[in-house]
């Protein structure tokens, strides 16, 4: 019985960590690489991690999701676009020693 009391909060925390809600709009329109969600939302999704932003019908950001399937399964999400990670700055070449 103790296992059941421990498993329920663990599952709730695991699922809560998969999404993050944004209250901001995307005033410049949707990004160029935006894809539409299917008309029938998915019932099951894989647990792979390819982060996307989910957008509502008006273009407002509804959240960040672990993949497009998870985003489209949420109510109100109509579009997704891949989350672009900031690339690290390239390392500078070492300076040559004076001759």
């Amino acid at each position: 019985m103790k296992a059941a009391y421990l498993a329920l909060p663990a599952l709730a925390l695991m699922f809560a960590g998969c999404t993050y809600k944004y209250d901001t709009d995307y005033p410049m329109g949707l990004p160029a690489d935006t894809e539409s969600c299917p008309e029938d939302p998915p019932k099951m999704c894989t647990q792979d991690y390819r982060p996307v932003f989910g957008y509502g019908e008006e273009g407002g950001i509804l959240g960040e999701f672990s993949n497009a399937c998870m985003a489209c399964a949420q109510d109100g999400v109509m579009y997704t676009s891949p989350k672009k990670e900031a690339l690290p700055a390239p390392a500078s070449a070492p300076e040559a020693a004076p001759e």
Side-chain angles (χ1 to χ4, degrees), residues 21-41:
K21 296 290 183 186
Y22 289 87
D23 291 331
T24 59
D25 285 336
Y26 201 80
M28 299 177 344
L30 295 171
D33 53 358
T34 301
E35 294 186 15
S36 297
C37 289
E39 287 186 25
D40 292 330

Side-chain angles (χ1 to χ4, degrees), residues 2-48:
K2 280 186 177 180
Y5 289 121
L6 295 175
L8 187 59
L11 285 173
L13 289 173
M14 183 178 76
F15 287 118
C18 294
T19 63
Y20 180 80
K21 296 290 183 186
Y22 289 87
D23 291 331
T24 59
D25 285 336
Y26 201 80
M28 299 177 344
L30 295 171
D33 53 358
T34 301
E35 294 186 15
S36 297
C37 289
E39 287 186 25
D40 292 330
K43 306 238 184 303
M44 297 179 97
C45 296
T46 60
Q47 294 295 316
D48 58 330

